[in-house]
Amino acid sequence: MLNFDNPSTWQVLVVDDEPDNIEVVAESLEFYGVTVQTAESGADAIQLLQSFQPDLILMDLSMPQMDGWQTRRHILNDGAVDYPIVALSAHAMAGDKERALAAGFDGYMTKPVSIPTLIQDIQAALKETER
Amino acid sequence: MFKYQTIRLPISLALTLAVLLPAVVINAVNAVIGIQSAVNQSQNQLETVSALKQSQIDFWVDETLSDLNTTAVDPDFLLRTRQALPDSDFPTLRDRAQQEVRSALGAARRVSATFEDLFLVTPTGEIVVTTALDPPPNFNLDSPEGSVVLPPIYDAALDETIITLFVPIIDNEQVIALLGGVSITDPLNAIMSDDVGLGTTGNTYLVNEAGLLLTPSRIGDYEIGDELSAALTDRTLTNTRYNTYHGAEVIGVASALSVPGVILRAEQNTAEVLQPTYTTLFINGVTAILAVVLFVVGGIYSVTSNIVRPLEQLSETAQRIAQGDLSLRATIRHNDEIGQLAGAFNTMTTSLSETIAERDENLKTIQQNNRELRVATNKAREAARVKGEFLSTMSHELRTPLNAIIGFSDMLLMGMSGELNEKQTHKVKRLQDNGKRLLELVNDSLDLTRIESGRVDLQIAPFVVSDLTNRMYDQMQVLAEQKDLLLDVWTDPNLPDTLIGDWQRIEQVIVNLLSNAFKFTDKGSVKLSLRHQDADHWCLAVEDTGMGIPPHAKDLIFEEFRQLDGSTRRVHKGTGLGLAITRNLVRIMGGTIRVDSVLNEGSAFTVTLPYLTEDDVTPDEESLQETV
């Protein structure tokens, strides 16, 4: 389970097809003490989850072959674990966030991310959907 | 609704009356005049007949008297008479003389068969000698000097009318006696029975003062001596119509005779007199009725063929035209009023069909236009969709590299890749700032495009004014402190505590205006005020003590990517889209924005917004979902 207030205990899977973005997010999280694994496609992510059980998944939405939406469905259908999945997307038009949340994502963050407030932003995104 | 009635009826009635009335009047006048004239003619006729019979009777009386006189003037008879009188100078001769007088009278009576009896009387009427077997009673005479005619009487024994006449017997210029004769009136009967000029019912008769019939009646079962109506003896009963003795109404005249005590009456039945008149009147009447009938029938025919039928046809045509057959035209038969009406009707129909054709043409054009408009609308919608898709993609594609740029800048500045020296820090900071500015530009561009394409859905709801102002103060106070400026927020006490509107958009407007004010103000203060304006409007104003705006630029500042000039753009960071977005937001909220400014003293932006009501509040969450 995610220890919400203590990021150094977090185990996070970052899924994004852009290596630059993976580098920015993964390194920053590691900077804050988070344990990070990365995947450059939905298929890789599903593969990785065989051996790695994260507390949280940060998921890009627009990816070739299998996008964030499909990947999420696969993960939740295949696995026994109900991972919290936060969308991390460059889609910032009106309605994008609402669509994702309506589909069941546990949070929505827009790119570009702000590194100084990265942890707070993740916490805020999760808090927004807390039921 | 009135019941349908043909105009034939009133016109026929009027025609009938117009013809019938004079016909009746003329016939009535004719009848009165005709009857009067017939009566007058009949009276004249009767008077003529009466006058003729009068003179015949007079002639007979004169003749009879003359017969008597022949005897009376005989010298021998005179001698015998003198001796036969009671006061005779020769009483011894009297009886003989009387015998001789009697035989002389008898002889005279035989000569003239007229006399029933002849006799000699004294001047006072005492019988001296008579031829009758039974001497008649004495007469009551008053010594007349001439001849005397007594009123005729009915002699029941003879069943005849008799008349007694006397002539004087004169000796030495002295009436010594009278010779009297009783005459039967056969000649009178003959005269009165003559019916020449009297038609079939004309009748002349004599009636005495006792009302007895003296001559035979031509009419009915009456005989001489019958008692008739006493009124018939009235001489004034003449020249008039009355009911006579035999019951019929007659026209009669009465006239006196030289014979005393007798009235001659000439009568003719009114029915006979008026028969020809009645016939004439009847013929006239029948003729008039025939004329009226002919006239009315002709009139109705004329009205029907000239007025009613054409009107009916016109009406029928009008109805068929009303049912849609606009090619129909009324037939014009004559160039009269109805013909002109039909002509006018045709002109109207032509005009109508032209108008309808024109309207149909217009309708077609409108439909065509509508089709084109639909196509254009669909095209525009498609274009808008493509544009939206493009914007969405562009936004995504710009943000992805920006994420790397800003992210790496952040990481470098945070020292994740080792400490940077001052120059490196400065340059990475510039890199970060430009990245952020680029992001801001992307955001503002999208925002503006969204607003301009009308894809902004206002979320109208009640909000608390003080919440808004407090939030604004907290948010903008940071900017004020950065530039050492004073931020003043003031709310009009007359403004309601709660307003209705899209508070997020209002906040966006305020933030834009305040950011703008802080951007162009270097010293002094920035003031935000919310005021009640009038019954329908409230306004928010942002005033600063900045550089101001020259008059020529007041409109330009609301255009995209405009700042005052190239030089200021470098000093004042920003995309240049803030005021354009603000203006468009104010517009879609139904408000107006105005700027007042004095160069180098400051500017004031005033946004006026309408008070909204509960009716304007955006309905519910679900309908919102659909508009997303």
Side-chain angles (χ1 to χ4, degrees), chain B residues 509-525:
Chain B
V509 166
I510 294 174
V511 167
N512 280 351
L513 290 176
L514 284 176
S515 304
N516 199 57
F518 282 122
K519 200 178 292 173
F520 294 100
T521 305
D522 293 326
K523 58 176 194 295
S525 63

Side-chain angles (χ1 to χ4, degrees), chain A residues 16 18 20-21 23-25 27-28 31-32 60 62 89-96 98-99 110-116, chain B residues 388 391-393 395-397 399-404 406-408 410-411 414-417 432 439 443 446 450 455 625 628:
Chain A
D16 200 315
E18 286 279 340
D20 283 350
N21 285 336
E23 190 179 335
V24 168
V25 175
E27 279 191 22
S28 298
F31 175 77
Y32 288 115
D60 184 24
S62 295
S89 172
H91 286 290
M93 303 292 279
D96 287 339
E98 286 76 6
R99 257 195 303 280
T110 53
K111 296 174 187 172
V113 291
S114 165
I115 304 304
Chain B
L391 284 171
S392 173
T393 308
S395 162
H396 180 262
E397 295 309 312
R399 278 169 183 275
T400 303
L402 276 173
N403 189 45
I406 294 171
F408 283 130
D410 281 349
M411 289 164 78
M414 287 172 76
M416 285 187 206
S417 308
Q432 189 192 44
L439 179 62
N443 285 342
L446 288 174
R450 252 203 316 266
R455 293 199 295 151
Q625 292 283 338
V628 167

Side-chain angles (χ1 to χ4, degrees), chain B residues 595-611:
Chain B
V595 60
D596 300 293
S597 181
V598 178
L599 206 56
N600 297 323
E601 284 187 18
S603 309
F605 289 83
T606 307
V607 173
T608 304
L609 291 168
Y611 279 122

